[in-house]
Each structure stands twice: as C-alpha cells, then as structure tokens.
Amino acid sequence: MGLRRMPWDEWIELDNQYLYFHNEKARRIAELDRVVARTEPQAFEAAYELLEEFSDYLSQRYPSLFKRTAVGVDNLLTGEHFNIVERPLKQDPMQMASRLIQDDFALLLEKPDGQYYLSAGAIVMPGLWNLDERMGMPLSQIHVDHGKVPGFKEKLEKGVMSLFRRIQPDSPVQRNTWYVQGLDAVDEREFAKGAGEMNMPVENFHYRTERQTVRRLPRSGAVAFLFRTYIVPVTELAEEPYVPGRLASAIRSWDDGTAYYKGRHTFDDVLLGYLDGKHDEQVANGLDPTKEDERDPWFTSRDVPIHVSDYTHDSVLPILNETNATALLSFLNLNDERYITIHRAFLSACLASKNCKRLMPSEYCGDIETFPDRPRFYGTTREPFRQILKAEARDVQWTLIENGWFMDYFLPKEKSYMRPVPDEFPINLDEWTARVRGTGDEPQSWTLAREVGKAIVELCATEKEWEPITYVCGQWGTYNETIKIMEKFYDRPIPQTHTPAPEIRDYVHANLQNDQVYAVQAVMCDE
C-alpha cells in the first residue's frame, strides 16, 4: 500500500490555493448540501470530535491564519467565526469542517461485525467517487463492489482491514496514489466529461496524484481518512530528465486489471507514443539511461556518495545520521506548496538529528528585507517558511543566501550549467533579444554561481554563528550597460524592448486570476 509514518505537522497542508478551495467548497456545499457533505446520526459525536481536532490543529500549525477561541476557531484570513460548541450547530459539522481545510475527508466507524462503515464526510472536490453514492457502505464494499479496485479482495483487503483496526491516535500514516487523466479537473463531475474519450490530444493528459492520510480519533475511535488531489500536465512533467521513460515504463507495468481500472485503454496510443518520443529525444541529447540510478554522473565520477530521498522527514533523518552530516543545504527550486512541505521536513530532520544543526534553505533571491514577497511566488512559499524558521528552528542555525541574478544567465546555454529561463531573465540568447522591465537603468546585482558556491563552502567551514541572511554580490550594474557590453563582446546587435513599471502593474492586476493570493501572503507576513 506504500504506507509511511506521517509527521504530526504534515497532517493538514495549506497552500496558495487555499482561498480558491475555500470559496469553491462553500459554493458547492450551498448548492449541493448533503450530497457532498453530511453526517449520519450515529456519527455525530465523531464528527464533532473531528471538528475540534481541526480547530486545535489549525490554530497551532497556522497561527497566522487561525485563532482558537472559547467557542471554536476564527479564520483570520476570511474573517469567519466558527462556533463549534453550540448544539445544534448552525451547519452540519462535516460541512463546517470542510470550510476550514483544502482536503476532502471521510469518517469511518466500526460496527459489531468488525467492518468499518462510511458514516460521515465531506467529499466536495472529489477524486473519482462521491459521498452520496457510498454513504453507509462498509470499507470492503466501497473498494470492491462500487470502486472495483482490482485485486482488492485477493491482495489488499486483509492489509487494509488490519490497518484500520490497529492504527492508533499517535501513529497516523500517509500514502500517495497516482494515475493519468484527461482534462485539468479536480472534480469528478468535470473529469467524467473526458474520462471516456479515446486518445485525446496529449495536451489534455495530466498526472494526477492524491496524498492520503489515515488517523484514529482519540475519543470516539473513528478513523479519519483525508485526501488531497494535485494535478500536473504530463507535457510539463515530461521535460524532466528520465521522467518520460520512467512514466511510460510504470504505465506499461500495470497488470490487465489495474490498466483497465486506471483507463490505459483510453490513452495507450497517444500518451505512450508521446512519452517514448520524449525519452528518445532526451537520449539523443545525451541522456544515458544506464546512469539513471546514479542520478548524476558528475557526482559518481568524483566518488561523491548519492543517497536517494523522497524529501520526507523519515527519509532525510537516517541520511543525516548515517553520514554524520553537520549542515543540510537545499537547492530545490519549487514555486508551489511543495516548497514549504519539503523544507519543513528538512527542518524537522535537522532538529531530530544527532549532529546536523545547520540548515540552508533554497532561496537565492535578492533584497528580501525590503521586498520579502518578490517575486510573487516567494510571498507564498519562501516568506511563510522564513516565519516557520524564526518560530521553530530552536537550536538549528540557518541562513538565507541572497545573490541577486545569477550572472550565468548571460551565457549561451551551451556555455552554462544553468537552464535558460527566457520568460524570466530579460536577455534571451536563443533569440538574441532583450525584454527589459523598467527603464533599464535600475541598479541590479549579478553573481556567478561558482562564486555563490564558494561563499556557501566558506559558511559551512566557519565556526561563527550564521546570520539569518547572507548577501553575496559579484557585481552591480544596469541592463542597459550590460547589453552594450554583450553586443560588443559577441559582435552582434541585441534588440531591446522596454516595459514601463506602470504597464507591468496593469498587466499583473489584469492577469492575476486570484488576487487573494496576496491576502494569504499578507496575513502570513503580518505575524
């Protein structure tokens, strides 16, 4: 089943899509009511307990977003006040609980026959099943008769039932599942529109994964099953080294029952052909499939040990202890909720380790003291984790490396280890053009990656206590000056366009679909 222990601070994850989920859930609950979220009579005590657990957890885990009160919990972001002690509640406890978090969830209660029955839940933004159809069913029937999970009766049922019977309140577990779907839809009502279509264009296919957690509630003994869906376009995923080949291999490895259950017959021709083509393209560009397990031949050729990790606490901690590491350095460039989740795992592993009491998160930005939320995605990823460091790091030293732009982006891609970012960096050497934001006379700082690396080595070697922020700067200049130098060096013109600051602001306001991201960011930063 792929189960692993769940650290307590990973039970409920919130990210920069929180307000979208919150508003969409409120809309669907108002529209569909008990069809998507309800509590059966025998489950009310367990439902009240889950609502209390959410209120306690959220106010402790996200104090900048939630505040525990004498009668319940306040959502500081939306301004909502939830009274969870009055009876009857103004709303079904599952509907009220659903409005607090992004996950969907189900409560299962054991009956005298030893089976666990779905007795309450909120499946508002579901995976591939809905609450109304399965309410009151035992766990086995949900998987076999209704879900038609291949091999459940023969291979999985005994293990699942054993898990539900033995799991304790202080030992929750988590797992991830995945499959491929057509359309970019979280809701099964939208997903169903494309589920049966045969061999849609490859742009329609998405890699869909669910993070699932299982925990027993201490008072009622009910089992709470939470799950959250994440979706990534396959075309985006296939740009990563080795991924097209691995994904195609995994899809082909399904047995007939699993393949039919996951709908392989609907995408066999188009998707597998595309993945094979991307794999062949990577090989033609120098990727060596025999070196996949090495992850990076540059390291192995220099006898640098490689330890494989899934970036969870339980995966990282043994590596730190086995290698007697003294510092953990992160270079993960993630611009979504995974950044916070993974770096929290790094921090907790350092705290629990024997000797690794230094942490360098992945930052590599600019003047964060003046502009803590720029670029925008830093406001919803880096800035929240900075606040976590200040509150929770305790005996772990940490520093944030800020170096401005990497000077390596001025080099043609064949001369640089850096992957080009033409949509971000103003100078595009693939097209020999420059799109400068502002006048081009604004001062900028640039630093070579190797100089940043040298600074990191010096920091790791020093016995002095680290400062919270370490600025590394190689050179100051302006884009107008630098473009002239490059034109002279390369002996060719680099046509320029300039985007004035007011035009940038207008564009951002016109194209930012969810201004509420700023609201999330503002509340987090105010703390």
Side-chain angles (χ1 to χ4, degrees):
M1 290 185 288
L3 294 172
R4 60 189 187 276
R5 188 179 72 84
M6 183 192 75
W8 181 240
D9 63 358
E10 294 180 12
W11 185 33
I12 298 172
E13 296 182 346
L14 305 182
D15 57 39
N16 60 1
Q17 291 186 307
Y18 174 77
L19 280 170
Y20 165 75
F21 275 77
H22 175 276
N23 295 338
E24 189 64 15
K25 280 186 169 190
R27 183 187 69 80
R28 294 183 185 186
I29 289 171
E31 177 185 334
L32 300 169
D33 196 28
R34 290 173 54 81
V35 172
V36 295
R38 74 171 186 266
T39 306
E40 296 293 273
Q42 72 276 14
F44 267 96
E45 288 306 313
Y48 293 145
E49 183 182 10
L50 183 64
L51 185 55
E52 293 170 12
E53 291 284 326
F54 283 178
S55 300
D56 288 338
Y57 182 91
L58 292 169
S59 59
Q60 295 176 45
R61 174 68 174 78
Y62 302 100
S64 60
L65 297 178
F66 296 91
K67 179 182 179 181
R68 198 69 161 93
T69 67
V71 297
V73 64
D74 289 347
N75 187 324
L76 303 179
L77 181 58
T78 64
E80 295 169 296
H81 307 282
F82 295 90
N83 185 326
I84 67 172
V85 300
E86 63 181 348
R87 297 291 184 271
L89 293 178
K90 288 185 170 63
Q91 192 175 28
D92 185 291
M94 293 293 91
Q95 296 182 2
M96 187 176 290
S98 181
R99 291 165 55 200
L100 293 172
I101 67 174
Q102 288 170 260
D103 295 53
D104 282 327
F105 47 89
L107 276 178
L108 296 102
L109 273 62
E110 186 178 17
K111 290 190 176 182
D113 62 1
Q115 287 272 5
Y116 278 81
Y117 289 78
L118 178 58
S119 305
I123 318 297
V124 186
M125 304 185 77
L128 296 178
W129 58 286
N130 65 62
L131 182 72
D132 203 38
E133 292 177 349
R134 305 190 185 190
M135 181 63 81
M137 286 186 181
L139 195 59
S140 296
Q141 185 181 358
I142 290 173
H143 287 89
V144 177
D145 297 340
H146 204 281
K148 295 181 171 56
V149 176
F152 182 83
K153 201 74 176 174
E154 302 82 5
K155 302 176 182 178
L156 298 174
E157 182 177 29
K158 185 177 180 180
V160 171
M161 295 307 299
S162 175
L163 167 67
F164 271 64
R165 288 171 183 147
R166 75 173 188 271
I167 194 166
Q168 297 300 313
D170 59 352
S171 58
V173 296
Q174 61 182 326
R175 69 187 289 255
N176 291 86
T177 63
W178 71 274
Y179 43 93
V180 175
Q181 72 170 50
L183 306 182
D184 179 9
V186 174
D187 188 342
E188 71 165 62
R189 291 171 283 272
E190 293 297 321
F191 170 78
K193 295 176 184 178
E197 295 185 28
M198 302 293 289
N199 292 312
M200 294 179 289
V202 70
E203 291 78 15
N204 285 33
F205 291 108
H206 291 73
Y207 179 87
R208 178 183 181 122
T209 181
E210 280 187 3
R211 175 181 177 269
Q212 304 171 349
T213 66
V214 182
R215 178 183 171 233
R216 187 180 300 282
L217 300 183
R219 192 169 69 236
S220 66
V223 174
F225 173 65
L226 278 64
F227 55 96
R228 168 80 186 280
T229 300
Y230 302 86
I231 296 175
V232 180
V234 168
T235 51
E236 178 181 320
L237 207 61
E239 294 300 318
E240 296 298 320
Y242 298 109
V243 168
R246 288 205 302 265
L247 184 55
S249 177
I251 292 172
R252 288 191 172 100
S253 72
W254 294 339
D255 58 39
D256 291 343
T258 301
Y260 183 79
Y261 174 71
K262 295 197 173 188
R264 190 173 69 191
H265 58 286
T266 66
F267 56 73
D268 243 352
D269 295 341
V270 170
L271 183 59
L272 287 176
Y274 168 77
L275 293 173
D276 290 342
K278 293 296 291 185
H279 174 71
D280 292 343
E281 179 184 311
Q282 291 184 355
V283 172
N285 289 332
L287 188 78
D288 185 350
T290 66
K291 300 290 183 67
E292 179 178 0
D293 290 338
E294 295 180 0
R295 293 300 190 268
D296 194 329
W298 190 95
F299 290 103
T300 54
S301 66
R302 291 163 173 79
D303 296 323
V304 177
I306 293 178
H307 301 266
V308 180
S309 169
D310 62 7
Y311 300 137
T312 62
H313 170 98
D314 289 349
S315 172
V316 174
L317 179 58
I319 297 173
L320 298 182
N321 287 336
E322 290 167 12
T323 60
N324 200 30
T326 58
L328 192 161
L329 318 180
S330 171
F331 302 96
L332 295 172
N333 185 22
L334 299 170
N335 300 332
D336 54 30
E337 68 278 356
R338 293 173 298 167
Y339 179 91
I340 300 175
T341 300
I342 290 173
H343 280 81
R344 284 191 73 102
F346 290 167
L347 175 59
S348 66
C350 288
L351 287 167
S353 70
K354 292 182 292 187
N355 297 307
C356 190
K357 301 304 176 184
R358 283 179 161 182
L359 174 62
M360 196 176 292
S362 179
E363 276 266 346
Y364 315 108
C365 192
D367 180 5
I368 64 169
E369 293 174 285
T370 307
F371 306 102
D373 55 354
R374 295 293 183 272
R376 289 196 305 277
F377 60 80
Y378 267 49
T380 53
T381 55
R382 274 66 169 175
E383 176 60 16
F385 186 68
R386 296 168 194 152
Q387 302 306 319
I388 291 170
L389 283 171
K390 294 175 183 177
E392 302 177 12
R394 300 196 298 276
D395 60 336
V396 171
Q397 292 184 39
W398 52 274
T399 191
L400 309 174
I401 302 292
E402 312 299 347
N403 53 268
W405 278 105
F406 283 109
M407 194 175 287
D408 307 63
Y409 289 126
F410 287 114
L411 297 172
K413 59 185 177 183
E414 64 271 15
K415 300 286 188 180
S416 173
Y417 288 108
M418 294 282 192
R419 180 184 297 177
V421 285
D423 292 333
E424 298 178 34
F425 193 65
I427 299 173
N428 184 343
L429 292 185
D430 283 340
E431 300 177 357
W432 292 95
T433 59
R435 186 182 62 181
V436 180
R437 301 170 182 89
T439 65
D441 290 323
E442 296 84 358
Q444 307 280 333
S445 68
W446 301 294
T447 313
L448 279 170
R450 67 187 181 195
E451 301 302 327
V452 177
K454 290 177 182 178
I456 291 173
V457 171
E458 291 294 327
L459 278 170
C460 291
T462 184
E463 295 183 359
K464 295 181 179 179
E465 186 171 344
W466 285 357
E467 296 288 338
I469 302 174
T470 300
Y471 288 106
V472 182
C473 179
Q475 179 176 331
W476 285 89
T478 70
Y479 280 114
N480 288 342
E481 294 169 347
T482 306
I483 290 170
K484 290 179 181 178
I485 295 172
M486 293 179 68
E487 288 178 325
K488 182 177 181 180
F489 179 82
Y490 289 112
D491 192 25
R492 62 179 299 173
I494 302 178
Q496 300 178 49
T497 58
H498 291 263
T499 307
E503 185 176 327
I504 296 173
R505 284 192 290 269
D506 292 344
Y507 176 85
V508 169
H509 290 304
N511 289 274
L512 190 62
Q513 295 180 352
N514 194 351
D515 281 335
Q516 295 161 332
V517 168
Y518 285 106
V520 176
Q521 169 186 316
V523 172
M524 286 182 170
C525 293
D526 284 346
E527 294 293 314

